[in-house]
Amino acid sequence: MKLPYQNIYDVLKLNRYVTIIVTVTALLSSVFSGTMVFNMYKKAMDSVFAVNTDGSVIPLKLVSQKENLRVEALSHLALFHEYFYGIDNSNYESHLEKALWLGNSTVDNVYRQKKSDGVYNRILQYSLVQKVLSVESQVDLSTEPYRFETVTSFEVHRGSVIDRYEMVSTGSLITVDRNFPKNTHGLLITDYFENSLKKIKTDE
């Protein structure tokens, strides 16, 4: 007579195989799904989309992060030096306020030193116009903080008299949260220092 539990070990062995197969299948499915999601994420990060005037979506290829960072770093430095040194008696307060948002306490220290030396009082008293002619920066993006050196050429107008100067400044850039419209590039100038200032002879 055949007992009902005679093949219990065979049944358990079969159940074990079924469990292993189901588990392996689920694991492979999860790995495959994860790989697909990761690939989709990478493709999405490599492209940005804009909406056209007719409502259609236009894919735009992003430049590399390094190239984008260099453009933003140079733009940030140009904006700062234009605000900080391109001043006259009508705009110096607003320009300096905007410039101070682009740097940390080291920039503020330079500003306070200039204020203590009477630089801004002379601009008001003699109606001086300080006009930035060019800002040329070199930035090392190999490691953060990113060291920079900037050569700023500017003119000081005293009525009909125009003096031209060239200043070399150095410092570092660190990444911070973007602040619209006060710090749109998400960078902050640190360790700021005015290394040299020389008067440029002109042919006039």
Side-chain angles (χ1 to χ4, degrees):
M1 180 178 180
K2 189 175 182 180
L3 296 175
Y5 302 108
Q6 185 175 0
N7 297 324
I8 186 68
Y9 291 109
D10 293 336
V11 173
L12 290 175
K13 184 181 294 185
L14 179 61
N15 288 343
R16 181 185 177 189
Y17 288 145
V18 171
T19 302
I20 292 175
I21 292 173
V22 171
T23 302
V24 171
T25 303
L27 181 61
L28 292 176
S29 177
S30 298
V31 171
F32 177 76
S33 300
T35 303
M36 292 294 294
V37 170
F38 179 73
N39 289 335
M40 291 174 62
Y41 172 77
K42 284 187 65 177
K43 288 181 180 179
M45 289 300 292
D46 287 339
S47 301
V48 66
F49 298 89
V51 179
N52 201 358
T53 53
D54 60 359
S56 60
V57 177
I58 307 172
L60 302 174
K61 197 72 176 176
L62 287 176
V63 296
S64 69
Q65 290 185 352
K66 280 290 184 184
E67 291 175 345
N68 190 52
L69 178 59
R70 181 171 297 279
V71 170
E72 294 215 58
L74 294 177
S75 180
H76 186 86
L77 291 170
L79 193 62
F80 166 75
H81 286 83
E82 287 167 5
Y83 279 143
F84 201 63
Y85 299 101
I87 53 179
D88 57 42
N89 60 355
S90 66
N91 68 17
Y92 85 98
E93 288 184 334
S94 63
H95 275 209
L96 291 174
E97 180 183 358
K98 292 175 181 177
L100 291 174
W101 273 98
L102 306 179
N104 71 350
S105 59
T106 57
V107 172
D108 186 64
N109 290 340
V110 174
Y111 159 72
R112 291 180 184 276
Q113 184 61 51
K114 288 179 178 293
K115 187 175 182 180
S116 176
D117 293 341
V119 172
Y120 307 122
N121 284 337
R122 287 194 292 274
I123 288 176
L124 292 175
Q125 184 177 357
Y126 300 108
S127 297
L128 302 181
V129 176
Q130 195 164 285
K131 181 180 179 182
V132 174
L133 302 176
S134 64
V135 179
E136 298 181 2
S137 299
Q138 299 292 329
V139 187
D140 181 6
L141 298 178
S142 57
T143 56
E144 188 177 356
Y146 312 115
R147 294 292 301 171
F148 71 83
E149 180 179 278
T150 300
V151 178
T152 305
S153 299
F154 61 91
E155 292 177 340
V156 177
H157 295 243
R158 292 192 297 269
S160 60
V161 178
I162 300 176
D163 295 322
R164 183 172 297 180
Y165 297 88
E166 184 179 273
M167 188 194 64
V168 178
S169 58
T170 57
S172 301
L173 289 172
I174 60 173
T175 55
V176 295
D177 291 337
R178 296 179 190 268
N179 186 326
F180 295 93
K182 295 176 179 178
N183 188 337
T184 57
H185 296 109
L187 296 168
L188 194 71
I189 295 171
T190 65
D191 304 321
Y192 187 68
F193 186 73
E194 294 179 344
N195 294 72
S196 64
L197 177 66
K198 64 179 180 180
K199 188 174 181 179
I200 306 298
K201 293 183 179 180
T202 60
D203 297 332
E204 297 179 2

